[in-house]
Amino acid sequence: MKVTKETVLKAMEKAAKGHSDQKGVESMMRNSDIYADMVMRSIASGEYKNNLRYRKLTKRNSNGKLRHINSPFLFTFVLQHLFLQMAWPIYRKHDNYNALNCKPGCGITANDPSMSVIHRLKHLMYDRRDLHYCVIIDQRKCYEHIRPKAFRKEMRRLTDDRELIEFGIAVSFLDNRLPIGTPTSSFVHHVVMLRHDHWSKQAAPFALGYADDYLYATYTKEDANQLKWRVQNHWWYEHGIRAKVSTIRVQPLDKEVSFCGYVIRRNPDKGVTDHNKGYTTIRQNIKARALKCKNNDSWAAYYGILSHADCYALMQKIEEKMKLRQLTEKIRINRKLDAPNISPKELEGKVFTIYDYDVKCDAKGSPNWIKCLIGIEEKDEEGNATGKMRAYEFHGSYMYIVEFITMAEKTFGKQNMLPLEEMEITNQCGYIFKGSTNQMEYIDDGGGQTSLFVNS
């Protein structure tokens, strides 16, 4: 196994993609030459095996299923990408592209029709009128069942570089099992299933694989039932992988076929050159998640899924929601004195500054409502001032506050008196500004003593 510094640097770039904001990744890329040299020394001495680390995570998929993921630490992640850099070219020389998952340019809705799952399915349902039955079968916990022995056996069919094979086993397996959530796991699965992919093309007129799901089409029902058992036996005796027996389906292609989230229906009375040969929709649970989605990035992903199906009405419905989201991102209404609301009760005991206000009148022209834009000095957790003024607004029919502000504006003018600093609110039979009313302190007892008013 020949490891070059250029290959290591490419592996580091792959590992850093999408994680550049993480502290460890930033440090690695900032000192890329030093890190690459360290990786090469570690591989040359075999010390890397003692530094492979994973963290255990539990994540819930969009369909509600819990996944126990082994997330590799950065050093392990780099080594996994390094192995892929060296092993992918070897695999591609033998790949017949029967399986279309986790490969560059391939996918359920890939741009290249020959590498697209949905394009191949439509071709089967709409054009291959000579095929009448299909077998849909998936593997049971395929990652857990793949052992280093099986991977080593299949890799030796592709290369005689034993150092590369053992390096791949070391960085790809955890406790002799393939961990979920690592970039090498899907590659190992591809290598183990490569012989089966070639076998599938010979065993059936049509074969297609995506991850652990496989679909085969046949001419007759007898062929489909026979193929069902042949596939299960081939998986078990050749690769040590079990089929999920409870989900195996043998069905006519004249009925709807559900695969990889899409549901495709064939119109049996149509020919290859006819229009309206069939139609494609999505599974109901995906439709339900699309309608409930609140994340804009996910909206775009669901929209991409729908664009490959005959779901025009649903796309319109989603598009209207997307447009509204895009509008609210780009267009905001400028409401006068707009700030987070705070009630006078919450302002009691706080000192604030009034920067602006708006007074409204009733039908008779008397002021009866006010909205104030205020600022309260921000403080940190220790109670120290940060130097910033936090903006708030309060509003309502607070008659004494309205009366005070109106009288002050008539006396001094709005522009001259703003901002009003060191203001406080208190509840005295209604909310008032502290010190803004003449409040009685003594009652005339009939002895000639006059009433004394003080500011409150």
Side-chain angles (χ1 to χ4, degrees), residues 327-339:
L327 283 173
T328 54
E329 284 181 358
K330 297 178 181 179
I331 302 172
R332 296 293 178 92
I333 301 170
N334 290 321
R335 297 191 301 178
K336 192 174 182 181
L337 314 181
D338 197 15

Side-chain angles (χ1 to χ4, degrees), residues 87-355:
W88 263 118
I90 298 172
Y91 171 81
R92 285 197 191 99
K93 293 178 182 178
H94 305 272
D95 187 14
N96 67 348
Y97 290 96
N98 182 63
L100 297 179
N101 63 293
C102 304
K103 296 179 182 179
C106 300
I108 296 176
T109 59
N111 292 328
D112 184 351
S114 64
M115 301 299 174
S116 166
V117 172
I118 188 62
H119 182 84
R120 291 193 188 180
L121 286 175
K122 288 181 178 180
H123 172 66
L124 167 66
M125 297 296 288
Y126 300 163
D127 301 328
R128 291 298 304 269
R129 298 284 166 163
D130 56 326
L131 301 178
H132 300 286
Y133 277 84
C134 73
V135 181
I136 301 175
I137 181 171
D138 64 336
Q139 298 170 348
R140 181 177 177 270
K141 297 183 178 180
C142 59
Y143 282 7
E144 290 186 18
H145 292 153
I146 294 178
R147 297 290 185 268
K149 180 180 179 181
F151 177 61
R152 185 183 288 111
K153 174 184 174 182
E154 300 303 327
M155 278 295 290
R156 284 181 179 177
R157 296 175 183 272
L158 306 180
T159 178
D160 58 359
D161 191 339
R162 297 194 172 220
E163 287 186 18
L164 176 63
I165 296 172
E166 296 306 316
F167 176 69
I169 291 172
V171 301
S172 301
F173 286 84
L174 175 62
D175 298 330
N176 289 325
R177 281 173 169 75
L178 278 180
I180 297 174
T182 65
T184 50
S185 294
S186 59
F187 174 78
V188 171
H189 182 255
H190 280 311
V191 171
V192 171
M193 296 303 297
L194 181 60
R195 270 194 308 126
H196 180 77
D197 288 332
H198 285 278
W199 177 89
S200 296
K201 293 294 188 181
Q202 298 174 351
F206 178 93
L208 176 63
Y210 190 85
D212 57 353
D213 296 321
Y214 279 78
L215 183 147
Y216 308 87
T218 62
Y219 299 108
T220 65
K221 185 176 182 180
E222 290 76 13
D223 291 341
N225 280 303
Q226 184 186 71
L227 186 61
K228 175 185 73 172
W229 293 106
R230 291 181 65 194
V231 170
Q232 292 181 73
N233 289 333
H234 197 267
W235 281 358
W236 176 245
Y237 290 108
E238 294 294 329
H239 308 292
I241 293 178
R242 299 173 184 176
K244 194 181 294 183
V245 179
S246 61
T247 61
I248 298 176
R249 303 195 304 278
V250 174
Q251 65 173 76
L253 291 177
D254 288 347
K255 292 187 177 180
E256 63 181 36
V257 173
S258 177
F259 192 75
C260 288
Y262 286 93
V263 180
I264 306 179
R265 297 165 178 84
R266 169 192 284 182
N267 288 336
D269 56 339
K270 298 292 183 178
V272 176
T273 58
D274 293 334
H275 293 289
N276 192 27
K277 292 182 288 186
Y279 61 98
T280 302
T281 58
I282 60 173
R283 286 206 308 256
Q284 287 298 317
N285 60 338
I286 297 177
K287 176 182 176 181
R289 292 202 300 269
L291 290 171
K292 293 179 181 178
C293 181
K294 297 181 180 179
N295 181 277
N296 285 338
D297 292 336
S298 297
W299 270 126
Y302 283 118
Y303 197 80
I305 293 172
L306 292 169
S307 66
H308 292 269
D310 301 309
C311 301
Y312 183 73
L314 183 58
M315 286 175 69
Q316 278 191 316
K317 191 172 183 179
I318 291 179
E319 189 176 15
E320 291 302 318
K321 291 186 177 181
M322 289 178 68
K323 283 181 179 178
L324 178 60
R325 287 181 176 274
Q326 292 170 356
L327 283 173
T328 54
E329 284 181 358
K330 297 178 181 179
I331 302 172
R332 296 293 178 92
I333 301 170
N334 290 321
R335 297 191 301 178
K336 192 174 182 181
L337 314 181
D338 197 15
N341 177 255
I342 189 170
S343 67
K345 184 176 182 180
E346 295 175 278
L347 286 174
E348 287 188 79
K350 291 183 171 63
V351 178
F352 57 89
T353 300
I354 299 178
Y355 290 96

Side-chain angles (χ1 to χ4, degrees), residues 437-456:
T437 63
N438 290 318
Q439 197 171 63
M440 187 181 298
E441 186 175 1
Y442 297 104
I443 300 293
D444 187 352
D445 57 2
Q449 186 173 351
T450 58
S451 299
L452 176 65
F453 292 90
V454 298
N455 289 334
S456 65

Side-chain angles (χ1 to χ4, degrees), residues 67 118 124 160 183 253 269 309 362 368 371 390 403 430 448:
R67 292 280 188 183
I118 188 62
L124 167 66
D160 58 359
L253 291 177
D269 56 339
D362 58 19
N368 69 337
K371 182 176 184 179
R390 180 72 68 176
E403 185 177 352

